[in-house]
Amino acid sequence: MTITISPFTVGSHCDCNVSPVGYRKDEHIKKEHMPITYWRIYIDDKYVSYTSSKELAEKTKAWMEKWLKGKA
């Protein structure tokens, strides 16, 4: 079995009605729609879980690999 992690981002879309005067898209996105990155965990290319940080995803992956070795 192969366990992998992969990032995915949510919240980066913006279709807000904004004033044409003084509007800076980059500032608006930072304040109102800051994208959030999560980390998906896959076993043999099948999605099984996700975490909120890469570090936690790596710890989960290591735990899963150790647990699966004990099952073999």
Side-chain angles (χ1 to χ4, degrees), residues 1-69:
M1 287 189 181
T2 304
I3 301 172
T4 56
I5 59 174
S6 176
F8 72 100
T9 303
V10 295
S12 60
H13 177 70
C14 176
D15 58 357
C16 298
N17 292 327
V18 294
S19 170
V21 178
Y23 171 70
R24 291 189 50 191
K25 184 174 183 174
D26 57 339
E27 291 298 319
H28 174 77
I29 295 294
K30 283 181 187 176
K31 289 179 184 175
E32 304 295 329
H33 305 285
M34 184 63 128
I36 301 170
T37 300
Y38 293 99
W39 295 83
R40 288 186 178 136
I41 303 167
Y42 299 88
I43 296 178
D44 291 337
D45 296 327
K46 293 181 183 178
Y47 165 75
V48 293
S49 186
Y50 71 92
T51 67
S52 59
S53 71
K54 184 176 182 179
E55 293 80 17
L56 187 53
E58 290 170 347
K59 286 180 182 180
T60 303
K61 178 184 176 201
W63 179 88
M64 293 172 90
E65 289 170 339
K66 184 178 177 181
W67 184 78
L68 286 169
K69 280 184 183 178

